[in-house]
Every structure is written in C-alpha cells, then in structure tokens.
Amino acid sequence: GFFCSLFLLLGPKQRVAHCKHVTTAQENAATTVVIITVVYIIFNIPIIINNLFYLHGLRTRPNAKFVDLYDNILTFYYMWPLTYIVSVAVNSMANPLIYYFRMQIF
C-alpha cells in the first residue's frame, strides 16, 4: 500500500498521464496513505530510540537491574510512559484528524 502510493505520487507524470484509470481521488488517497505512514513513523521514533537506549544499557551492563539501565530514576519513570503511552495516543489522535482534513465528504 505505502510503496504503491509513493510510486504513484513520485513516479513520472507521463506514466500517470497515460493511465486513464488513475483519477484525482486515487491520487488524493495515495497522498493520504503517505501522510498517515509518515506520521506513524514520526510518532514511533521515540519508541525506537527508547528501545535502542535500553538495549545499549543491557549490552554495556548485562547484570544491571532494569531501573539501573537509566541514568537516574526520573528518566526511568518518565521515559517509558512518554514513549509508550503519549506517543501512541498522539498518533491515534492524529490519524482521524488527518482523515478529516483530507477527505472532502466530511
């Protein structure tokens, strides 16, 4: 879905012009898929960074406790909720807003 939409948007315009079955609605749908995917990736970057930080702590200190892998207790208590709750919630909130502003029938 994402790669087909990206190919449709970034492909040569001559190829799109020769395809009679590609309509502006399909181009708008492809743009929406790309926007939703980019927003998903952006909001999952903190989760990826947190997991890499955690795995780096495990690799450098294999016998450490879970809490000891962070520099202080404050980052331990705020890092996981921010990445796993807030970023997922903001992503879930952004998707309907994107669909609302991208679709003309609403």
Side-chain angles (χ1 to χ4, degrees), residues 26-71:
Q26 289 173 332
E27 288 180 2
N28 289 339
T31 305
T32 304
V33 168
V34 170
I35 291 170
I36 292 292
T37 305
V38 168
V39 167
Y40 175 80
I41 291 170
I42 288 171
F43 284 119
N44 280 312
I45 287 174
I47 295 171
I48 294 168
I49 291 172
N50 191 25
N51 283 332
L52 290 175
F53 183 68
Y54 173 71
L55 290 175
H56 174 70
L58 281 179
R59 191 172 276 276
T60 56
R61 295 177 275 178
N63 294 330
K65 293 180 185 175
F66 183 70
V67 177
D68 296 335
L69 294 175
Y70 292 91
D71 292 336

Side-chain angles (χ1 to χ4, degrees), residues 14-25:
Q14 296 86 11
R15 189 177 321 135
V16 175
H18 290 291
C19 297
K20 304 249 190 255
H21 63 276
V22 176
T23 62
T24 57

